[in-house]
């Protein structure tokens, strides 16, 4: 749960659009307008939510379940990597400092970033534990276009000490998958979504270990490999959730945000 003060501030400064998008050509209100989403993924939030650890010249790491979750640049230069056991990382870098992950601190940091982002749009959705979605279409003219918006967000987050990967797309799910893949991507036209999404690795999908093992067993390395499979078989093997995610990413199924 968010701290009470942050939760109240976020609720008062953001607007959530939870109605499904209507069919083309039908307008039922503000939320039925064409949407353009910016996704912000924060791959180092567990570390960067502790500024003292993130900016130290000494090697620091945040650990979770006895493994390194994130580490600062000093630790990385000495060979520490995410996924290492704490014992292995400490043997490699005896002076390594580490602290346990604190999801409460991360959630509070994400909420603070969301409040800051209301200068760009009031329509913001949290993607815990380390992401935000901003619906920006209605603000583009006022803010000088998508390039200006993306540059302003990137500069602002850098000034705040956060590393982010950004992506922009006509569906929230597509933008989020693109941002999770790393690197800035823009896929604005709905018709251009499928080849862009198809090229992404299946690792960007939020799946459990058993599903990932099955992906590997059937040779599905990219989302396009899944899209080429018969839909009925895909649903039987992986359940409806995966199909729903893919359909929402491609704009074939309404999104509730």
């Amino acid at each position: 749960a968010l701290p009470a003060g942050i939760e109240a501030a976020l609720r008062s400064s953001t607007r959530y659009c939870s109605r499904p998008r209507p069919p083309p050509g039908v307008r039922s209100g503000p939320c039925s307008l064409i949407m353009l989403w910016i996704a912000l993924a924060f791959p180092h939030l567990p570390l960067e939510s502790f500024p003292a650890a993130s900016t130290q010249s000494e090697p620091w790491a945040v650990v979770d379940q006895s493994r390194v979750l994130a580490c600062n640049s000093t630790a990385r230069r000495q060979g520490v990597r995410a996924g290492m056991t704490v014992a292995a990382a400490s043997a490699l870098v005896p002076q390594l400092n580490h602290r346990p992950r604190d999801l409460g601190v991360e959630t509070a940091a994400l909420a603070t970033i969301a409040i800051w982002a209301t200068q760009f749009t009031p329509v913001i959705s949290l993607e815990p534990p380390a992401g935000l979605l901003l619906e920006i279409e209605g603000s583009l003219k006022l803010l000088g276009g998508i390039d200006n918006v993306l540059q302003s967000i990137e500069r602002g987050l850098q000034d705040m000490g956060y590393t982010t990967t950004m992506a922009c797309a006509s569906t929230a799910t597509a933008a989020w998958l693109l941002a999770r893949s790393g690197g800035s991507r823009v896929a604005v036209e709905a018709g251009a979504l499928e080849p862009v999404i198809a090229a992404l690795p299946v690792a960007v999908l939020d799946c459990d270990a058993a599903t990932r093992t099955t992906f590997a067993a059937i040779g599905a390395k990219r989302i396009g490999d899944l899209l080429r499979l018969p839909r009925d078989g895909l649903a039987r093997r992986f359940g409806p959730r995966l199909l729903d995610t893919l359909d929402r990413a491609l704009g074939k199924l309404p999104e509730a945000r």
Side-chain angles (χ1 to χ4, degrees):
L2 299 177
I6 292 177
E7 184 175 18
L10 184 60
R11 188 184 300 114
S12 67
S13 59
T14 59
R15 177 168 63 86
Y16 293 90
C17 177
S18 59
R19 285 181 290 167
R21 295 171 67 183
V26 177
R27 290 191 175 188
S28 61
C31 290
S32 67
L33 299 176
I34 294 172
M35 292 185 176
L36 185 63
W37 292 90
I38 295 174
L40 306 175
F42 300 93
H44 304 307
L45 188 64
L47 181 74
E48 292 170 345
S49 58
F50 293 108
S54 179
T55 59
Q56 284 282 348
S57 58
E58 299 177 353
W60 269 91
V62 172
V63 302
D64 187 36
Q65 298 182 348
S66 300
R67 289 188 177 273
V68 174
L69 185 64
C71 59
N72 67 1
S73 57
T74 304
R76 287 195 298 273
R77 283 195 298 269
Q78 297 182 49
V80 178
R81 295 291 183 268
M84 279 185 172
T85 64
V86 175
S90 298
L92 182 66
V93 184
Q95 67 274 30
L96 179 69
N97 301 286
H98 57 84
R99 61 177 301 158
R101 182 182 196 181
D102 189 328
L103 282 171
V105 169
E106 292 173 41
T107 302
L110 196 62
T112 300
I113 298 170
I115 293 170
W116 168 84
T118 58
Q119 65 186 286
F120 304 103
T121 174
V123 186
I124 296 173
S125 176
L126 272 67
E127 286 291 316
L132 292 177
L133 287 163
L134 286 62
E135 203 292 303
I136 201 70
E137 177 68 30
S139 306
L140 286 182
K141 186 173 181 180
L142 177 65
L143 297 175
I146 188 62
D147 289 340
N148 284 341
V149 172
L150 293 173
Q151 290 170 11
S152 296
I153 291 174
E154 186 173 28
R155 284 195 301 267
L157 291 173
Q158 285 176 348
D159 291 344
M160 294 167 69
Y162 293 106
T163 303
T164 185
T165 57
M166 294 189 297
C168 182
S170 53
T171 70
T173 304
W176 181 237
L177 294 178
L178 287 165
R180 288 192 67 183
S181 72
S184 297
R185 302 285 296 276
V186 178
V188 174
E189 297 297 329
L193 277 179
E194 185 157 349
V196 173
I197 297 300
L200 296 177
V202 294
V204 303
L205 296 168
D206 184 16
C207 299
D208 58 28
T211 299
R212 295 188 188 283
T213 299
T214 305
F215 286 164
I218 65 175
K221 297 180 179 179
R222 300 195 176 274
I223 291 178
D225 297 328
L226 299 175
L227 294 174
R228 284 189 288 272
L229 296 174
R231 287 179 62 87
D232 290 347
L234 201 62
R236 283 195 304 272
R237 186 183 290 265
F238 299 108
R241 183 170 173 264
L242 176 62
L243 270 181
D244 287 350
T245 296
L246 298 177
D247 285 346
R248 289 190 179 103
L250 299 176
K252 298 177 181 178
L253 193 67
E255 294 181 292
R257 295 282 174 184

